[in-house]
Amino acid sequence: MPPTPDRGRARALAAALRALPVEIAATSVETRSIPIPSYPDEPRPSSIVTLSGADHHGFGEHVGWTTGVHRTFQKTAPTNVPTGATSLGAFERVLRERVAEPYERAALEAAAIDLALRQSGRTVGQLIGAAPQATRYVISFTPGRDPAADLRTTIGGNPKLEAKIDVAAGWDATTFERLAESGRVAVLDWKRAGGPDQHLLAHRLLPGALLEDPGADPLAAAPAIEDRRSVDAPFTHARALDEHPAPFAANIKPARMGGVLEALDAVARCASRGVVVYFGGMFELGVGRRQLLALASLLCPDGPNDIAPIPRTTGSLVWPDRLSLHEAH
């Protein structure tokens, strides 16, 4: 399994970003609907927010699930963004006062970070003197009646590719055994379902796979699977795990946490407790997915990052062994 992240690097990046100056003159939001075969209620609504200033533009992606949410964001975003010269840390504080919705804060903060980096002529890696690494990732999917067959179809013949699979309630030992034969399952996503017996069965047959959000209370101690328990949905802010037994791993989602800066604080707290981290997406289709890769490439390039490109057609896609960030912005 991958090592825990570098606590100092996460803290240094958060501090460097919060200190970065940014000048904002205008805000605009473009909403759209994009047909995506894997999206359950296609087309996928999406918004890109643009912050402009000093002849530069920064971009952030809103991951809300309904068209109505995106229309509201388009109307309210310009009134929530402070204009003029400030710092990213001050910008973060203003957003916390003005915007309750985490997805909105995350999109606006991401655009401000992007703008500040472009205005400074630097990348996130250059802020802390680190180079992005080719990044491990998983292909996430919900299988049908034959999970093992769906696994082969989804990730193809490349032996270096791995999968994150949503678990169904009725899976038995045979199902887990067939998945184990592939040697390609990195994460089993329980989505707060399953019982202790099923969790233990899966852990016994796929001992190398993370068990993400097992059971109704994924934060509770589960000694039988503790060496592979991972937390996702309850991890909504940096301190969410403080009062609970440390999981083996945690799925970091900046959009769910209200922004990159809170997510960096979460990474640092995980590192202090020896928790492995990996980044997860929330159906970002554009700049948001690239920004996730930028973070993962610096903080957890060997984790099972759930940031695979999302195909926009039903045709075959050539999956790279790892994801590379050629340009750092």
Side-chain angles (χ1 to χ4, degrees):
M1 290 302 295
T4 55
D6 185 322
R7 179 185 183 186
R9 178 173 289 190
R11 284 187 168 179
L13 182 54
L17 284 172
R18 287 185 169 110
L20 204 61
V22 63
E23 183 175 340
I24 303 171
T27 303
S28 63
V29 178
E30 177 189 0
T31 62
R32 53 191 179 165
S33 294
I34 304 174
I36 301 293
S38 59
Y39 191 67
D41 301 308
E42 67 168 333
R44 167 72 162 125
S46 177
S47 295
I48 299 297
V49 56
T50 303
L51 300 187
S52 304
D55 298 323
H56 291 281
H57 306 285
F59 306 95
E61 184 172 352
H62 191 296
V63 299
W65 306 109
T66 68
T67 300
V69 165
H70 288 274
R71 288 175 178 167
T72 298
F73 178 61
Q74 188 175 40
K75 294 177 181 178
T76 60
T79 64
N80 286 327
V81 174
T83 57
T86 186
S87 68
L88 287 177
F91 182 86
E92 177 192 24
R93 292 191 292 272
V94 170
L95 286 190
R96 288 184 181 277
E97 294 172 357
R98 296 182 180 181
V99 182
E101 170 55 50
Y103 295 168
E104 293 186 17
R105 289 203 314 274
L108 294 172
E109 185 187 278
I113 291 173
D114 191 30
L115 177 60
L117 290 169
R118 293 176 188 274
Q119 289 175 347
S120 71
R122 287 179 288 179
T123 69
V124 285
Q126 289 169 347
L127 285 180
I128 55 172
Q133 303 297 309
T135 303
R136 177 188 175 201
Y137 69 103
V138 296
I139 300 172
S140 180
F141 70 100
T142 301
R145 293 184 177 182
D146 190 342
D150 292 337
L151 175 65
R152 291 192 296 272
T153 300
T154 301
I155 67 176
N158 186 338
K160 295 184 179 180
L161 295 184
E162 300 169 283
K164 174 181 175 180
I165 305 176
D166 294 349
V167 180
W171 287 8
D172 56 12
T174 300
T175 302
F176 289 117
E177 287 171 350
R178 292 188 63 196
L179 288 172
E181 289 172 358
S182 71
R184 314 281 287 282
V185 180
V187 184
L188 291 169
D189 189 353
W190 295 86
K191 298 189 180 300
R192 295 188 172 186
D197 290 343
Q198 194 182 26
H199 301 153
L200 182 58
L201 174 65
H203 185 36
R204 178 170 60 82
L205 296 174
L206 291 98
L210 295 180
L211 305 184
E212 187 175 278
D213 282 357
D217 184 7
L219 293 173
I225 61 168
E226 202 58 33
D227 60 346
R228 285 297 181 271
R229 179 174 63 96
S230 180
V231 172
D232 175 15
F235 207 177
T236 57
H237 52 88
R239 297 178 179 272
L241 307 185
D242 284 3
E243 304 302 321
H244 303 275
F248 175 79
N251 188 345
I252 306 293
K253 293 182 175 178
R256 175 176 284 156
M257 293 186 175
V260 166
L261 296 171
E262 182 75 7
L264 290 175
D265 292 343
V267 172
R269 297 183 84 83
C270 283
S272 70
R273 300 182 69 185
V275 177
V276 169
V277 303
Y278 53 103
F279 279 89
M282 302 191 76
F283 258 98
E284 293 90 348
L285 300 176
V287 65
R289 193 142 292 240
R290 183 171 180 78
Q291 290 165 347
L292 288 173
L293 174 57
L295 295 173
S297 71
L298 293 172
L299 300 172
C300 51
D302 295 317
N305 296 287
D306 186 12
I307 57 174
I310 297 178
R312 300 197 181 191
T313 69
T314 56
S316 60
L317 182 69
V318 178
W319 300 98
D321 292 349
R322 288 198 169 209
L323 299 177
S324 296
L325 195 68
H326 300 295
E327 295 291 338
H329 277 308

